[in-house]
Amino acid sequence: MIAVRELSKSFVTDRGRIDVLKNVDLDIRVGERIAVVGASGAGKTTLMHLLGGLDRPTSGSVCFADKDIFRYSAQELDAFRNRSIGFVFQFHQLLPEFSALENVMMPALIGRSSVKDAESRAVEILKAVGLDHRLDHKPGQLSGGEQQRVAIARSLIMSPKLLLADEPTGNLDSGTSDEILALLDRLHDERDLTIVVVTHSEKVAGHMDRVVHMEDGFLKT
């Protein structure tokens, strides 16, 4: 599904050039679950941002079905990301002024679905993650685990093939973390999702099919 080749990312600062990723190669199979682990600053989140097209590399390619996403125009990349990739972050990134239902509807509305269609799909996916009784609650009225379930629902409303999760249980207690991992396991099986997770947690990594290690910008499989 995904072929990463010689992927590098550098930043230029007042102190000189910083090489964050260095010639990373990685193949990810359809339906595979991968954990990316490593110390802080190793390049894990940068790799995830490049996999999801949130940033552009200094060099190298990320190919989905033999198409390099960085050959797309900015508009084409935005559209590809909206329909093909779901994102889950440690801090949820929910809009506080909107309800759970409205937060989940956002990607569909951005993708130019009608309000009626977006709402119908959002209700369905919120039901799938066990939150159909929280549709009208705003993020501040939800527990941490419920907020993360909303974030997961939002990431799946466009039926993506790839889910990218950056420390999805990092802010949750042990019991709630277990619930989120069980939910991801179930959604993976039901939707044949390909999942890439950045994590410091051995428990989270243990739920994945494969673990790869980042160290000083290099990927070690």
Side-chain angles (χ1 to χ4, degrees):
M1 179 184 182
I2 305 167
V4 177
R5 293 292 179 268
E6 298 183 354
L7 195 67
S8 297
K9 180 67 178 180
S10 301
F11 299 94
V12 178
T13 71
D14 293 339
R15 298 182 178 181
R17 171 171 155 162
I18 300 174
D19 298 320
V20 181
L21 283 188
K22 305 169 186 175
N23 295 317
V24 168
D25 289 333
L26 178 65
D27 289 317
I28 303 171
R29 298 185 299 274
V30 173
E32 189 174 23
R33 295 174 296 181
I34 295 179
V36 182
V37 302
S40 296
K44 304 185 302 298
T45 296
T46 299
L47 174 61
M48 177 161 289
H49 286 175
L50 294 176
L51 284 175
L54 294 174
D55 197 3
R56 288 183 178 268
T58 303
S59 61
S61 62
V62 174
C63 294
F64 284 70
D66 298 324
K67 293 183 179 179
D68 183 359
I69 65 173
F70 297 115
R71 292 186 179 273
Y72 292 143
S73 68
Q75 185 176 6
E76 289 170 335
L77 183 56
D78 286 344
F80 170 81
R81 189 170 52 238
N82 176 258
R83 68 176 181 266
S84 300
I85 305 175
F87 297 91
V88 179
F89 301 98
Q90 180 176 355
F91 297 105
H92 317 306
Q93 306 277 352
L94 299 177
L95 299 172
E97 66 272 29
F98 293 111
S99 68
L101 179 63
E102 291 165 337
N103 268 280
V104 175
M105 289 171 61
M106 286 296 175
L109 295 175
I110 291 170
R112 300 190 176 183
S113 294
S114 68
V115 172
K116 182 178 180 181
D117 178 59
E119 182 173 345
S120 174
R121 288 157 62 189
V123 169
E124 180 181 358
I125 191 66
L126 281 165
K127 183 177 181 180
V129 301
L131 283 179
D132 47 320
H133 61 302
R134 290 283 194 265
L135 300 181
D136 297 323
H137 288 66
K138 293 183 178 180
Q141 299 171 307
L142 301 173
S143 68
E146 288 173 332
Q147 289 182 54
Q148 194 63 302
R149 285 173 181 266
V150 173
I152 291 170
R154 180 184 59 189
S155 76
L156 297 178
I157 190 171
M158 298 296 287
S159 299
K161 292 300 183 183
L162 173 65
L163 178 67
L164 300 175
D166 193 352
E167 297 287 2
T169 64
N171 265 352
L172 305 175
D173 61 55
S174 178
T176 307
S177 295
D178 289 343
E179 292 175 1
I180 294 299
L181 287 174
L183 175 62
L184 290 175
D185 286 344
R186 177 168 62 82
L187 292 171
H188 166 265
D189 294 341
E190 291 176 352
R191 295 168 178 265
D192 197 27
L193 278 174
T194 303
I195 300 176
V196 179
V197 175
V198 164
T199 184
H200 287 98
S201 168
E202 292 182 5
K203 179 187 289 186
V204 174
H207 273 257
M208 303 297 112
D209 302 315
R210 179 159 57 114
V211 178
V212 298
H213 298 264
M214 292 293 305
E215 184 176 332
D216 296 329
F218 293 101
L219 187 68
K220 299 183 177 183
T221 56

